[in-house]
Amino acid sequence: MTQTRDPKNWRFVLATDLDGTFLGGTDAMRRILYDWIEARREDVGLIFVTGRDPAFIAQMCGDGIMPWPDYVVGDVGTTIAGLDNGTVTPIDALEAHIREVWGDRGDLVRRTLKDAPGLVEQDTPFRHRVSYHWDPETYDPASVAPLKEAGFDILISHGCYLDVLPGGVSKGPSLLRLLDQLGIDPERVLVAGDTLNDLSMFQTGLHGAVVGESEQGLLDATRDLPRARHCALPGTGGIAEAIRAFQLHPEAPDEVTA
């Protein structure tokens, strides 16, 4: 598909993480939310804000497992993209800042963390980040100290992943850049997530759904954020719950409890 809908016509925008969030909840919860979105594609915008790479998104949507998004903030905020005939296509102007901050320093990260205890590099290629499987039992925080001093951000999430990111680049800031480019009123946006790599989305001040069964670290970090709703229902059920609670659309998704 090619993104042809006009964001100026959207009365509501869902900006959501995938694993545990938009892909979470029961089959009934997912079906209710997905059908609700598909029936309102002229006035409901869908943005994936995820650690997943573009190939994963294209495969899942192409297989009909989830609806196609209108835009993607992927790779933990280091990709900002639109859709072009089923291909997640980076938006060059919005990625210029990310490229500048990252430079060509992937090899520096790999050399620094070569043989670092508790870290095994993920085999998925990323353009502006380097990511690892993280073992908290053997990990030595001192191994990433030179990278922090060099201006990189270190993000640990899900209790098993460590991402090395360009300084100041993450899901929340990249989403705000996209919303600004599209001219979308922030008051119309709901962000949704379940782990610590979603925290920067809730720190934007946008309406937020911290879905049920979220990582404890995210629950603790968002407890005092006034617009971060701690939802009772998991995944898509929590998203629908937040849409209703914040009254973000006049025809809110139906409620389901099982």
Side-chain angles (χ1 to χ4, degrees):
M1 62 162 283
T2 299
Q3 203 294 112
T4 58
R5 290 178 285 274
D6 186 352
K8 294 183 180 62
N9 294 331
W10 295 343
R11 68 171 66 188
F12 167 66
V13 179
L14 172 61
T16 179
D17 172 58
L18 293 180
D19 297 279
T21 308
F22 197 65
L23 289 170
T26 65
D27 290 344
M29 291 173 184
R30 287 192 295 274
R31 183 48 48 206
I32 285 175
L33 184 64
Y34 294 178
D35 287 351
W36 181 84
I37 291 171
E38 291 288 49
R40 294 165 178 80
R41 292 312 296 254
E42 291 305 318
D43 76 342
V44 171
L46 180 61
I47 302 173
F48 290 165
V49 191
T50 175
R52 291 289 193 170
D53 60 281
F56 173 87
I57 295 167
Q59 179 177 344
M60 293 287 283
C61 295
D63 290 344
I65 295 172
M66 59 186 181
W68 284 97
D70 295 289
Y71 293 93
V72 172
V73 176
D75 297 320
V76 200
T78 62
T79 290
I80 306 176
L83 272 293
D84 185 8
N85 293 321
T87 299
V88 180
T89 305
I91 301 171
D92 187 71
L94 291 180
E95 288 195 350
H97 169 72
I98 298 169
R99 290 195 305 274
E100 180 181 352
V101 176
W102 181 251
D104 188 17
R105 299 196 291 170
D107 287 342
L108 170 63
V109 173
R110 294 181 181 92
R111 287 195 305 271
T112 302
L113 297 182
K114 187 177 185 294
D115 300 325
L119 296 177
V120 177
E121 186 178 350
Q122 296 179 25
D123 59 7
T124 303
F126 301 112
R127 296 176 303 137
H128 306 123
R129 70 188 252 219
V130 181
S131 297
Y132 295 85
H133 299 285
W134 175 70
D135 177 8
E137 297 298 322
T138 57
Y139 171 68
D140 180 3
S143 62
V144 300
L147 297 177
K148 290 182 178 180
E149 292 173 3
F152 294 95
D153 286 344
I154 309 299
L155 177 62
I156 295 173
S157 63
H158 289 272
C160 61
Y161 299 128
L162 183 146
D163 294 303
V164 182
L165 304 171
V169 176
S170 59
K171 289 184 175 184
S174 291
L175 174 61
L176 290 180
R177 294 172 77 88
L178 176 61
L179 296 176
D180 182 66
Q181 174 76 15
L182 298 175
I184 293 173
D185 180 358
E187 291 299 309
R188 293 186 279 149
V189 180
L190 174 73
V191 299
D194 72 316
T195 73
L196 273 174
N197 74 16
D198 300 313
L199 176 59
S200 64
M201 289 200 291
F202 298 105
Q203 292 173 327
T204 61
L206 299 168
H207 294 100
V210 182
V211 299
E213 302 177 7
S214 285
E215 183 179 357
Q216 187 61 47
L218 181 66
L219 292 170
D220 294 341
T222 56
R223 200 169 304 281
D224 295 326
L225 297 179
R227 283 189 160 184
R229 177 183 176 85
H230 286 192
C231 301
L233 297 176
T236 43
I239 294 172
E241 174 187 330
I243 295 171
R244 292 191 297 270
F246 288 122
Q247 299 180 334
L248 290 169
H249 196 283
E251 300 173 349
D254 292 337
E255 184 173 0
V256 61
T257 59

